[in-house]
Coordinates of all heavy atoms in Angstrom, one line a residue:
E774 N -39.2 42.1 -35.4 CA -40.0 42.5 -34.1 C -38.9 42.6 -33.0 O -39.0 43.4 -32.2 CB -41.0 41.4 -33.8 CG -42.3 41.5 -34.8 CD -43.3 40.6 -34.2 OE1 -43.3 40.2 -33.0 OE2 -44.3 40.3 -35.0
R775 N -38.0 41.7 -32.9 CA -37.0 41.7 -31.9 C -36.1 43.0 -32.0 O -35.8 43.6 -31.1 CB -36.1 40.5 -32.0 CG -35.0 40.5 -30.9 CD -35.5 40.3 -29.5 NE -36.2 39.1 -29.3 CZ -36.9 38.8 -28.2 NH1 -37.1 39.7 -27.3 NH2 -37.4 37.6 -28.1
A776 N -35.8 43.4 -33.3 CA -35.0 44.6 -33.4 C -35.7 45.8 -33.0 O -35.1 46.7 -32.3 CB -34.6 44.7 -35.0
V777 N -37.0 45.9 -33.3 CA -37.8 47.0 -32.9 C -37.9 47.0 -31.3 O -37.9 48.0 -30.7 CB -39.2 47.0 -33.6 CG1 -40.1 48.1 -33.0 CG2 -38.9 47.3 -35.1
G778 N -38.2 45.8 -30.8 CA -38.3 45.7 -29.4 C -37.1 46.1 -28.6 O -37.2 46.6 -27.5
M779 N -35.9 45.9 -29.2 CA -34.7 46.3 -28.6 C -34.5 47.8 -28.5 O -33.8 48.3 -27.7 CB -33.5 45.7 -29.4 CG -33.4 44.2 -29.1 SD -32.3 43.4 -30.4 CE -30.8 44.3 -30.4
I780 N -35.3 48.5 -29.3 CA -35.4 49.9 -29.3 C -36.4 50.5 -28.2 O -36.2 51.3 -27.4 CB -35.7 50.6 -30.6 CG1 -34.4 50.3 -31.6 CG2 -36.0 52.1 -30.5 CD1 -34.7 50.8 -33.0
L781 N -37.6 49.9 -28.3 CA -38.7 50.3 -27.4 C -38.4 49.9 -26.0 O -38.9 50.6 -25.1 CB -40.0 49.7 -27.9 CG -40.5 50.1 -29.3 CD1 -41.8 49.4 -29.7 CD2 -40.7 51.7 -29.3
E782 N -37.9 48.8 -25.7 CA -37.7 48.3 -24.3 C -37.0 49.2 -23.4 O -37.5 49.6 -22.4 CB -37.1 46.9 -24.4 CG -37.0 46.3 -23.0 CD -36.3 44.9 -23.1 OE1 -35.0 44.8 -23.1 OE2 -37.0 43.9 -23.2
P783 N -35.8 49.7 -23.8 CA -35.1 50.7 -22.9 C -35.8 52.0 -22.7 O -35.7 52.6 -21.6 CB -33.7 50.9 -23.6 CG -34.0 50.5 -25.0 CD -35.0 49.5 -25.0
I784 N -36.7 52.4 -23.7 CA -37.5 53.5 -23.5 C -38.5 53.4 -22.4 O -38.7 54.2 -21.4 CB -38.1 54.0 -24.8 CG1 -37.1 54.3 -25.9 CG2 -39.1 55.2 -24.6 CD1 -37.7 54.6 -27.2
Y785 N -39.3 52.3 -22.5 CA -40.4 52.0 -21.6 C -40.0 51.5 -20.3 O -40.7 51.5 -19.2 CB -41.4 51.2 -22.3 CG -42.3 52.0 -23.2 CD1 -42.0 52.0 -24.6 CD2 -43.4 52.7 -22.8 CE1 -42.8 52.9 -25.5 CE2 -44.1 53.5 -23.6 CZ -43.8 53.5 -25.0 OH -44.5 54.3 -25.8
E786 N -38.7 50.9 -20.2 CA -38.3 50.5 -18.9 C -38.1 51.7 -18.0 O -38.1 51.5 -16.8 CB -37.0 49.7 -19.0 CG -37.2 48.2 -19.4 CD -38.0 47.4 -18.3 OE1 -37.6 47.5 -17.2 OE2 -39.0 46.8 -18.8
E787 N -37.9 52.8 -18.5 CA -37.8 54.0 -17.7 C -39.2 54.6 -17.4 O -39.3 55.4 -16.5 CB -37.0 55.2 -18.5 CG -35.5 54.8 -18.7 CD -34.8 54.6 -17.5 OE1 -34.9 55.4 -16.6 OE2 -34.0 53.6 -17.4
E788 N -40.2 54.1 -18.1 CA -41.6 54.6 -17.8 C -42.3 53.6 -16.9 O -43.1 54.1 -16.1 CB -42.3 54.6 -19.2 CG -41.7 55.7 -20.2 CD -42.2 57.0 -19.8 OE1 -43.4 57.3 -19.5 OE2 -41.3 57.9 -19.9
F789 N -42.2 52.3 -17.1 CA -42.9 51.4 -16.2 C -42.7 51.6 -14.8 O -41.6 51.9 -14.3 CB -42.6 50.0 -16.7 CG -43.0 49.6 -18.1 CD1 -42.3 48.6 -18.8 CD2 -44.1 50.2 -18.7 CE1 -42.7 48.2 -20.0 CE2 -44.5 49.9 -20.0 CZ -43.8 48.9 -20.7
Y790 N -43.8 51.3 -14.0 CA -43.7 51.4 -12.5 C -43.1 50.1 -11.9 O -43.1 49.1 -12.5 CB -45.1 51.7 -12.0 CG -45.7 53.1 -12.5 CD1 -46.7 53.1 -13.4 CD2 -45.1 54.3 -11.9 CE1 -47.2 54.4 -13.8 CE2 -45.6 55.5 -12.4 CZ -46.6 55.5 -13.3 OH -47.1 56.8 -13.7
D791 N -42.7 50.3 -10.7 CA -42.1 49.2 -10.0 C -43.1 48.0 -9.7 O -42.7 46.9 -9.4 CB -41.5 49.7 -8.7 CG -40.2 50.5 -8.9 OD1 -39.6 50.4 -10.0 OD2 -39.8 51.3 -8.0
F792 N -44.4 48.3 -9.7 CA -45.4 47.3 -9.4 C -45.8 46.5 -10.6 O -46.6 45.6 -10.5 CB -46.6 47.9 -8.6 CG -47.3 49.0 -9.4 CD1 -48.1 48.7 -10.5 CD2 -47.2 50.3 -9.0 CE1 -48.7 49.7 -11.2 CE2 -47.8 51.3 -9.7 CZ -48.6 51.0 -10.8
S793 N -45.1 46.8 -11.8 CA -45.4 46.0 -12.9 C -44.2 45.0 -13.2 O -43.1 45.4 -13.1 CB -45.4 46.9 -14.2 OG -45.5 46.2 -15.4
F794 N -44.6 43.7 -13.3 CA -43.6 42.6 -13.3 C -43.6 41.8 -14.6 O -42.6 41.1 -14.9 CB -43.8 41.7 -12.2 CG -43.4 42.3 -10.8 CD1 -44.3 43.1 -10.1 CD2 -42.1 42.1 -10.2 CE1 -44.0 43.7 -8.9 CE2 -41.7 42.7 -9.1 CZ -42.7 43.5 -8.4
G795 N -44.7 41.7 -15.3 CA -44.8 40.8 -16.5 C -44.0 41.2 -17.7 O -44.1 42.4 -18.1
F796 N -43.3 40.2 -18.3 CA -42.6 40.4 -19.5 C -41.6 41.6 -19.5 O -41.6 42.4 -20.4 CB -43.6 40.6 -20.7 CG -44.6 39.5 -20.8 CD1 -46.0 39.8 -20.7 CD2 -44.2 38.2 -21.0 CE1 -46.9 38.8 -20.8 CE2 -45.1 37.1 -21.2 CZ -46.4 37.4 -21.0
R797 N -40.9 41.6 -18.4 CA -39.9 42.7 -18.2 C -38.6 42.0 -17.9 O -38.5 41.1 -17.1 CB -40.3 43.7 -17.1 CG -41.5 44.5 -17.5 CD -41.8 45.5 -16.4 NE -40.7 46.5 -16.2 CZ -40.6 47.4 -15.2 NH1 -41.6 47.5 -14.4 NH2 -39.6 48.2 -15.1
P798 N -37.5 42.6 -18.4 CA -36.2 42.0 -18.2 C -35.7 42.1 -16.7 O -35.9 43.1 -16.0 CB -35.2 42.9 -19.0 CG -35.9 44.2 -19.3 CD -37.4 43.8 -19.3
G799 N -35.3 41.0 -16.2 CA -34.9 40.9 -14.8 C -36.0 40.8 -13.8 O -35.7 40.9 -12.5
R800 N -37.2 40.6 -14.2 CA -38.3 40.4 -13.4 C -39.0 39.1 -13.6 O -39.1 38.6 -14.7 CB -39.3 41.6 -13.5 CG -38.7 42.9 -13.1 CD -39.6 44.0 -13.1 NE -39.2 45.2 -12.3 CZ -39.8 45.9 -11.4 NH1 -41.0 45.6 -11.2 NH2 -39.2 46.9 -10.8
S801 N -39.6 38.6 -12.5 CA -40.3 37.3 -12.6 C -41.5 37.2 -11.8 O -41.9 38.1 -11.0 CB -39.3 36.2 -12.1 OG -39.1 36.4 -10.7
A802 N -42.3 36.1 -12.0 CA -43.5 36.0 -11.2 C -43.2 35.8 -9.7 O -44.0 36.1 -8.9 CB -44.3 34.7 -11.8
H803 N -42.1 35.1 -9.5 CA -41.7 35.0 -8.0 C -41.5 36.3 -7.3 O -41.8 36.4 -6.1 CB -40.6 33.9 -7.9 CG -40.8 32.5 -8.4 ND1 -40.1 31.9 -9.3 CD2 -41.9 31.7 -8.2 CE1 -40.6 30.7 -9.6 NE2 -41.7 30.6 -8.9
Q804 N -40.9 37.2 -8.0 CA -40.6 38.5 -7.5 C -41.9 39.2 -7.3 O -42.1 40.0 -6.3 CB -39.7 39.3 -8.5 CG -38.2 38.8 -8.5 CD -37.4 39.5 -9.5 OE1 -37.9 40.0 -10.6 NE2 -36.1 39.7 -9.3
A805 N -42.8 39.0 -8.2 CA -44.2 39.6 -8.1 C -44.9 39.1 -6.8 O -45.5 39.8 -6.1 CB -45.0 39.4 -9.3
L806 N -44.8 37.8 -6.6 CA -45.3 37.2 -5.4 C -44.7 37.8 -4.1 O -45.4 38.1 -3.1 CB -45.2 35.7 -5.3 CG -46.1 34.9 -6.3 CD1 -45.7 33.5 -6.3 CD2 -47.5 35.1 -5.9
D807 N -43.4 37.9 -4.1 CA -42.7 38.5 -2.9 C -43.2 39.9 -2.7 O -43.4 40.4 -1.6 CB -41.2 38.5 -3.1 CG -40.6 37.1 -3.0 OD1 -41.3 36.3 -2.4 OD2 -39.5 36.9 -3.6

């Protein structure tokens, strides 16, 4: 699962919008609050 996730993650990091914060690299709940 981690191996497949390492492929899918860079694809969808280019798709996800800036207002989405959950379960994304480099993003946290505190950033969402800010």
Side-chain angles (χ1 to χ4, degrees):
E774 286 190 19
R775 179 66 67 189
V777 172
M779 287 162 54
I780 291 177
L781 295 179
E782 185 180 84
I784 297 172
Y785 281 96
E786 278 300 308
E787 296 300 312
E788 296 282 319
F789 292 156
Y790 295 107
D791 289 339
F792 57 74
S793 171
F794 288 87
F796 304 120
R797 294 182 60 187
R800 294 187 165 226
S801 67
H803 296 129
Q804 291 175 330
L806 285 172
D807 287 339

